[in-house]
């Protein structure tokens, strides 16, 4: 087998990169759980017809086929279409299905987090992942869902991402908007193809305001004045409730105040006010946030890393009045999703974050000769029994080589069992020995029944690079 | 959307089942890390030609196709075959590829654990999973790998599974054999189609000794006496090294002692001896263990739950002299794999294990009225800040209803903020209030800046059912 090469779009990390990713996942999970979100996992596949319910995503789906399917002859072409399975491209579609499938056995409002891989059958392009980890939080109600969850969910995510700041993740800022504000404003202007207008406004960052204005006129049939109004709305941003007044004045100047706009402004104002109180500086109203997906009906969120805004949103979501519906009941929800792989790959590529070592091991127990390996095993077992990650040297090489083995892996301590202190002097007792900090060279007598490494050396830590 | 139904072979758990699975994964991970195994993840897909290198598994592969592949016209049929991707059906094939791909950047011997989903495109059959989680540990060397790892790896797995005993997982027993013993014995008998004989012997548990003897004669061309010898070997089992002598005597009685047999018996004896010393009673030699896969070259392992042997092996593996090879270097390894989904589904189905609650929340902070929600939010934030998982009631319903909300989720404590003690008496200070243990009904004054639930109530615990 020739040396294999990476597959474009399918990221993998070396052990120290994976340690960073695992730390990010652990921190997110802990924050979600502190807020009472229950963890679930859904299967990786959904029936193709469910995945294709939203036309826009159809080109991103990986369809599955059993290699021996035709050979088995068990399915006729007509029923195969029903049974066809595809890999999920997000965690929202499977969550909606899970809620419907288990509605009778879940307690609503149901708060769940879900950390899983998703797949998108994209054409390979620079920087686009075809497999990546997402971490989602959602709360879903049966029939109704109070507005205050639209305030809480982005704050939970801000706290989760903020808990990563001490490992070098930049400060986050959550940009919020409200679909009702945009829709109310456009309708007030007389632009009724709200989806179409949002789709053009969503291109602002890519093509700039003039090109968007041209598109609004050419594609949406807007007058130049209507297009100007749309751009003026999109230019409004700010951290305090004054934003609400600015939008209201703008709408009034175009005689475009609607009931829907007022409802949206009420919600947006409440969100900004509560966020400013509970997490000052984190949430910013930004009226150009559109979000492509058509199921958002209230608040919408995007998240940028401060100082790295050009990277785009690392965490997005919003409120949807109908996450799922089984005809009898409707399940409204609100949620956000972090693109963990994208975040981790940026942290690693930018050299912002590192793991103090690539193996869990804190102590390598040296082996004087193969006959005395049981003694080294006993020392390692005693250390592990007290929660100290320990490994035993793979061979009874010269001690210098065993120290090099530890050094190469970043293992901070090497233990020399009693019968074979490095100086050749046996020390009494099977768990007695000497332990060397290979960074400082310090070596001292120690008892494996009680010795502990300093807390900061017990487990690998993920720290800002250069620390 | 009608209520969806589960897909056969794709298990999913409700939140309390997932809590059990997560606990199992956490315990496995911690044990692996205490032993110095580094965690990695590999992508879910591998090139189809790599997955098909072992013919026997070909029918189990799910092949991927981008839904818009043909429409894009980017690939001609001839080059598509090369690029075709399939979902991995185990974690060994991807690990071998990962080792080759990153050989220059890994330190050998490389110890890694890997916990991921795998997929098998099986025909739907009762009890067969098509998607399931595996937890693997392997150690792989560059060029060589000392024998002692064949002793250590099953003991690590035994410790990991043993750490689950206090949540109700039955005791495990690891059944070991050595491919060299079987091969040396068969060749000594004059049976040179070793694979074929092993394949028949592997059917013992299913079809019984007489049918296996018939197959050995009919399919492998064995004489009745050779078949009898094979069955006699397969009947040998035991916990101490006397087993080695029994095999040697049996071989001598058939004049079937070979050098390979002696090498194998030396290894098997060393494994049993070391295992008896380090983990008495866990490892049992069982000469009928064959393992279907043809790449094992030394020790082979299966694992049964004591008292539930009929469930089959929950954790299997072995030694392979060539996990991977790039022509220049060969990478021998030894590893074991636990079928986590199968284990968890059995624990749940048999009602052996349960989670103390289905949500992480220890404390539900009640809300007296929507105006005072900020106070409840502040109490919850103070609790979370000290690591106590807390949730805030979704609506300012009657307190009785809020208590019922907690009760339904198994949340043990309800907090009544100061301004609204349950008796209507306001208590001073925003973080002061009363906390009620809804199981006992006990209610007492408390300060969210210092109050803690009893340790056993802080997080949900996974416990033997009925505890």
């Amino acid at each position: 087998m020739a040396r294999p090469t990476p597959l474009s779009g399918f990221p993998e990390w070396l052990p120290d990169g994976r340690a960073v990713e695992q730390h990010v996942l652990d921190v997110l999970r802990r924050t979600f759980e502190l807020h009472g979100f229950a963890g679930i996992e859904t299967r990786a596949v959904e029936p193709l017809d469910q995945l294709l319910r939203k036309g826009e995503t159809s080109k991103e789906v990986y369809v599955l086929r059993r290699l021996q399917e035709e050979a088995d002859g068990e399915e006729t072409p007509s029923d195969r279409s029903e049974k066809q399975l595809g890999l999920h491209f997000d965690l929202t579609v499977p969550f909606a299905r899970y809620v419907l499938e288990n509605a009778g056995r879940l307690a609503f409002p149901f708060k769940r987090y879900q950390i899983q891989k998703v797949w998108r059958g994209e054409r390979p392009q620079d920087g686009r992942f075809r497999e990546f980890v997402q971490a989602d939080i959602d709360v879903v109600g049966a029939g109704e869902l109070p507005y205050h969850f639209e305030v809480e969910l982005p704050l939970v995510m801000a706290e989760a991402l903020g808990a990563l700041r001490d490992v070098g993740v930049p400060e986050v800022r959550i940009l919020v908007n409200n679909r009702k504000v945009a829709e109310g404003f456009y309708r007030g202007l007389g632009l009724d193809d709200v989806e179409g207008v949002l789709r053009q406004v969503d291109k602002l960052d890519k093509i700039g305001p003039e090109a968007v204005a041209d598109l609004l006129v050419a594609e949406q049939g807007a007058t130049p004045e209507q297009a100007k109004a749309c751009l003026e709305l999109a230019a409004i941003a700010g951290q305090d409730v004054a934003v609400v007044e600015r939008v209201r004045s703008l709408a009034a100047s175009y005689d475009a105040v609607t009931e829907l706009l007022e409802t949206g402004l009420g919600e947006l104002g409440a969100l900004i006010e509560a966020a400013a109180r509970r997490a000052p500086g984190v949430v910013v109203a930004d009226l150009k946030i559109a979000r492509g997906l058509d199921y958002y009906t209230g608040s919408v969120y995007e998240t940028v890393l401060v100082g790295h805004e050009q990277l785009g949103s690392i965490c997005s979501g919003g409120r949807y009045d109908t996450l799922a519906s089984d005809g009898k009941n409707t399940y409204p929800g609100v949620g956000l999703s972090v693109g963990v792989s994208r975040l981790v790959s940026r942290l690693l590529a930018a050299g912002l974050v590192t793991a103090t070592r690539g193996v869990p091991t804190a102590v390598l127990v040296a082996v004087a000769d193969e006959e005395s390996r049981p003694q080294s095993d006993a020392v390692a077992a005693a250390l592990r029994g007290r929660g100290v990650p320990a490994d035993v040297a793979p061979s009874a090489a010269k001690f210098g080589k065993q120290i090099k083995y530890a050094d190469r892996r970043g293992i901070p301590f090497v233990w020399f069992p009693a019968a074979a202190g490095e100086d050749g002097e046996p020390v009494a007792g099977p768990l007695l020995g000497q332990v060397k900090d290979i960074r400082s060279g310090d070596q001292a007598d120690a008892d494996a029944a009680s010795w502990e490494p300093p807390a900061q050396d017990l487990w690998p830590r993920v720290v800002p690079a250069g620390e």
Side-chain angles (χ1 to χ4, degrees), chain A:
Chain A
M1 182 177 175
R3 183 169 159 201
T5 50
L7 278 179
S8 162
F10 292 90
E12 283 184 341
W13 318 121
L14 288 167
D16 52 353
R18 171 61 184 169
V20 170
E21 182 177 59
Q22 184 69 65
H23 179 78
V24 169
L25 297 174
D26 288 346
V27 167
L28 294 176
R29 173 182 162 193
R30 181 175 163 84
T31 308
F32 300 157
E33 291 185 348
L34 278 173
H35 283 264
F37 289 81
I40 67 162
E41 276 208 352
T42 57
R43 62 190 190 225
V45 304
E46 297 294 331
L48 191 56
D49 54 355
Q50 287 307 309
L51 292 172
L52 299 185
R53 281 168 67 211
K54 310 204 176 302
E56 247 199 292
T57 47
S58 65
K59 58 168 150 325
E60 300 185 346
V61 174
Y62 275 119
V63 184
L64 262 57
R65 174 175 62 82
R66 290 172 42 231
L67 192 57
Q68 300 296 310
E69 201 159 83
E70 287 81 8
D72 288 357
E74 71 185 29
E75 291 164 317
T76 60
S78 66
D79 65 15
R80 188 181 303 149
S81 62
E82 260 175 69
K83 293 179 180 179
Q84 249 188 333
L85 301 175
L87 293 174
H88 57 215
F89 53 80
D90 70 8
L91 302 177
T92 305
V93 171
F95 177 54
R97 190 262 314 152
Y98 180 94
V99 166
L100 285 187
E101 190 175 315
N102 299 294
R105 295 174 286 176
L106 298 173
F108 294 96
F110 176 50
K111 297 169 73 174
R112 82 86 175 81
Y113 74 89
Q114 194 171 344
I115 300 177
Q116 287 185 246
K117 283 187 175 165
V118 303
W119 294 268
R120 297 194 181 170
E122 316 240 6
R123 300 181 66 154
Q125 283 173 48
D126 196 51
R128 283 271 182 101
F129 285 151
R130 296 195 278 179
E131 170 179 277
F132 53 99
V133 178
Q134 280 195 341
D136 282 26
I137 52 172
D138 285 87
V139 54
V140 61
E144 53 170 16
L145 187 74
Y147 174 74
H148 62 80
F149 286 114
E150 291 179 55
V151 180
E152 278 158 36
L153 273 271
L155 293 180
V156 173
M157 208 45 116
E159 189 178 320
L161 293 167
L164 291 167
R165 285 197 63 188
D166 57 1
V167 304
V169 174
E171 194 181 341
V172 297
R173 190 140 297 152
I174 300 186
L175 313 177
V176 303
N177 193 3
N178 191 299
R179 267 295 292 263
K180 292 171 189 162
V181 173
E183 181 164 349
F185 185 86
Y186 300 151
R187 290 196 189 278
L189 285 177
L191 294 169
D192 284 333
D193 178 6
V194 175
E195 298 297 330
V197 174
L198 281 172
R199 206 162 45 239
Q200 306 303 350
V201 170
D202 211 18
K203 298 175 184 164
L204 258 175
D205 284 344
K206 270 194 198 153
I207 62 175
E210 283 177 35
V212 169
D214 290 349
L215 282 171
L216 285 170
V217 171
E219 309 262 329
Q220 307 307 131
T223 65
E225 200 198 11
Q226 286 171 326
K228 181 165 159 278
C230 292
L231 292 173
E232 284 174 353
L233 178 70
I236 294 177
Q239 286 198 35
D240 59 48
V241 285
V243 160
V244 169
E245 210 33 66
R246 286 166 63 196
V247 174
R248 194 175 280 125
S249 304
L250 179 71
S253 75
Y254 283 99
D255 198 17
V257 178
T258 60
E259 203 176 316
L260 187 62
L261 175 71
E262 282 298 338
T263 305
L265 286 175
E267 293 183 1
L268 185 62
L271 172 52
I272 298 198
E273 199 183 336
R277 188 179 60 240
R278 293 174 60 177
V282 170
V283 170
V284 179
D286 187 336
L287 278 292
K288 77 169 180 299
I289 302 300
R291 306 293 308 141
L293 295 167
D294 59 0
Y295 50 67
Y296 292 122
T297 51
S299 302
V300 288
Y301 318 104
E302 294 194 350
T303 310
V304 293
L305 297 173
V306 175
H308 304 259
E309 288 80 359
Q310 79 289 355
L311 296 178
S313 177
I314 58 151
C315 172
S316 309
R319 154 91 189 203
Y320 27 80
D321 283 342
T322 311
L323 169 71
S325 171
D326 57 11
K328 213 169 53 185
N329 293 299
T330 294
Y331 300 89
V334 55
L336 292 97
S337 175
V338 195
V340 175
S341 300
R342 199 149 78 139
L343 178 63
V344 169
S345 90
R346 285 163 180 184
L347 293 174
L348 293 175
L352 290 171
V353 178
T354 189
T356 53
R357 53 185 191 258
V359 295
T361 317
V363 185
L364 177 73
V365 183
V367 175
D369 47 56
E370 286 301 329
E371 289 65 45
S372 68
R373 176 173 294 279
Q375 190 190 352
S376 301
D377 287 337
V379 168
L383 291 169
R384 290 175 195 133
R386 293 186 300 101
V388 179
D391 202 354
V392 176
S395 71
K398 286 191 178 148
F399 281 151
K401 212 175 153 192
Q402 297 190 41
I403 291 170
K404 200 172 276 173
Y405 175 98
D407 191 40
R408 181 149 182 222
R409 287 158 176 80
I411 300 170
F413 295 97
V414 176
W415 185 287
F416 302 98
E422 199 183 22
D423 54 6
E425 288 294 291
V427 186
L431 296 184
L432 299 182
Q434 294 204 319
V435 65
K436 185 200 230 4
D437 182 332
I438 65 169
R439 298 160 301 186
S440 65
D442 294 346
Q443 185 164 335
D445 289 347
D447 182 344
S450 59
W451 180 84
E452 284 186 8
Q456 77 268 19
D457 290 330
L458 183 59
W459 291 99
R461 285 171 305 120
V462 173
V463 295
E467 187 171 276

